Amino acid sequence: MKIDSGNTAWMLTSTALVLLMTPGLAFFYGGMSRAKSVLNMMMMSFVSIAVVGMAWVVYGYSLTFGDGGALSAFIGGFGDWGLVGLEKAATADDGTGIPQLVFVAFQATFAIITVALISGAVADRAKFGAWVVFTLVWATLVYFPIAHWVWWSDGRDGGKAGWLFDLGALDFAGGTVVHINAGVAALALVLVLGKRKGWPKEPMRPHNLPFVLLGAGLLWFGWFGFNAGSALAAGETAAVAFVNTLAATCAAAFAWIVVEKLRDGASTTLGIASGVVAGLVAVTPACAFITPLGAIALGLVAGAVCAFAVGLKYRLGYDDSLDVVGVHMVGGIVGALLIGLLATTAVNDAGADGLLAGGGFALLGKQAVAVLATLVYSFAVTYGIAKVIDRVMGFRISDDDEAAGIDSTAHAETAYDFGTIRAGIGSGATAAAPAPAKKVEA
């Protein structure tokens, strides 16, 4: 098929937008962390780009979107190992006219950010080296298989496909593959590493709320590529995904701050930033299958539910540092299940009708199976990976290093140099050099 330059340009742009989301996540998580661990938090996102990006090129794409033969319902093969043979401008087998390597690069950015999302749950206390090992092993054993289950098909009617794809479960841009997957993996990792010293008695507030808002803004900006880019073409499906990403996110941000106002007496910047992310998470699987009004309804539900869900860690006693479980796992579940209610073929005939469109409970049941399968597999395998890493090399830093701050102990750096600030000097003030000390005669 001839290369479609318009679709290719859109997909190259979308790929860059999605890659930008991981540095945006670094700012979002970094601002929510304490000042003594912000660099480590941001490094965990950036090293995920480095490690997962290489793994994707070498074997990750092949395992995710390759044909696994007799096991093709569950995992791909190594036929595209190292992307050998894909260097030429061969088009993807989807009718969009984009080069195969553009699709490879686009999907790489999804794998990268899914791994990075997990890091927020273990802020302040994970060994950096152990995290690096975890990123590679987790992507290989958890992300690549689940993405294959949900998104892989050989493109032929009645042909082979991942088992959840074949079931008919809908996940347009990653509600199960990315968000439920990362959220439940974060829960498993938290249970292995344990609580931060002093949590929950000591206050561990975000150290830089402007960073949080900047990160949320970058995530929202990049998410248009994440969702609308998943159409793989610049057309009607991309347009509806784009509008729904806007509508649901606005609704979720508003719902979160309303819950805060009614519950706590004040709407906060952290709250609206978290509401933005919750809305983006929830609309991700549904964005191409629901109407804009359905997107607003979905966003309102997700924003309110996630605003309450982040408080569960205090009741249940798990220290999810930056609310990955409450926002990504819960938000992903909300979005995936609401497809079963709100989806309509009037928007996208590649989908199915949900309950409210007269489709009965069939789609809702398929969505529930996809959610449950992701939760069980990701939690079990992640817990096992974390336990092995903890036994072999230790996953948690020492108590002394945690008290001192992981930035200085793990990276020999600090985000802020307070040592050069002298007492008594205000903004714009000048001070004379101190007078030399006088020699004291005996």
PDB file of all heavy atoms in Angstrom, residues 117 248 315 327 342:
ATOM      1  N   LEU A 117       4.779   4.870  35.149  1.00  0.00           N
ATOM      2  CA  LEU A 117       3.645   5.153  36.034  1.00  0.00           C
ATOM      3  C   LEU A 117       3.770   4.440  37.378  1.00  0.00           C
ATOM      4  O   LEU A 117       3.375   4.975  38.419  1.00  0.00           O
ATOM      5  CB  LEU A 117       2.337   4.722  35.366  1.00  0.00           C
ATOM      6  CG  LEU A 117       1.810   5.585  34.223  1.00  0.00           C
ATOM      7  CD1 LEU A 117       0.626   4.901  33.541  1.00  0.00           C
ATOM      8  CD2 LEU A 117       1.414   6.965  34.731  1.00  0.00           C
ATOM      9  N   ALA A 248     -14.100  14.583  28.829  1.00  0.00           N
ATOM     10  CA  ALA A 248     -14.040  13.761  30.038  1.00  0.00           C
ATOM     11  C   ALA A 248     -13.066  14.324  31.053  1.00  0.00           C
ATOM     12  O   ALA A 248     -13.323  14.284  32.268  1.00  0.00           O
ATOM     13  CB  ALA A 248     -13.632  12.329  29.669  1.00  0.00           C
ATOM     14  N   ARG A 315      -7.075   3.800  55.093  1.00  0.00           N
ATOM     15  CA  ARG A 315      -7.945   2.819  55.745  1.00  0.00           C
ATOM     16  C   ARG A 315      -7.386   1.409  55.649  1.00  0.00           C
ATOM     17  O   ARG A 315      -7.498   0.614  56.587  1.00  0.00           O
ATOM     18  CB  ARG A 315      -9.340   2.860  55.123  1.00  0.00           C
ATOM     19  CG  ARG A 315     -10.076   4.180  55.352  1.00  0.00           C
ATOM     20  CD  ARG A 315     -11.489   4.096  54.792  1.00  0.00           C
ATOM     21  NE  ARG A 315     -12.217   5.341  54.984  1.00  0.00           N
ATOM     22  CZ  ARG A 315     -13.496   5.532  54.632  1.00  0.00           C
ATOM     23  NH1 ARG A 315     -14.177   4.534  54.086  1.00  0.00           N
ATOM     24  NH2 ARG A 315     -14.083   6.690  54.834  1.00  0.00           N
ATOM     25  N   VAL A 327      -5.690   6.467  41.463  1.00  0.00           N
ATOM     26  CA  VAL A 327      -5.981   7.181  40.222  1.00  0.00           C
ATOM     27  C   VAL A 327      -5.922   6.250  39.016  1.00  0.00           C
ATOM     28  O   VAL A 327      -6.868   6.189  38.227  1.00  0.00           O
ATOM     29  CB  VAL A 327      -5.008   8.365  40.038  1.00  0.00           C
ATOM     30  CG1 VAL A 327      -5.185   8.994  38.656  1.00  0.00           C
ATOM     31  CG2 VAL A 327      -5.240   9.415  41.123  1.00  0.00           C
ATOM     32  N   LEU A 342     -21.814   2.709  28.116  1.00  0.00           N
ATOM     33  CA  LEU A 342     -21.911   3.905  27.291  1.00  0.00           C
ATOM     34  C   LEU A 342     -21.547   3.720  25.829  1.00  0.00           C
ATOM     35  O   LEU A 342     -21.826   4.596  25.011  1.00  0.00           O
ATOM     36  CB  LEU A 342     -21.013   5.007  27.889  1.00  0.00           C
ATOM     37  CG  LEU A 342     -21.319   5.450  29.314  1.00  0.00           C
ATOM     38  CD1 LEU A 342     -20.234   6.397  29.824  1.00  0.00           C
ATOM     39  CD2 LEU A 342     -22.687   6.123  29.384  1.00  0.00           C
TER      40      LEU A 342
END
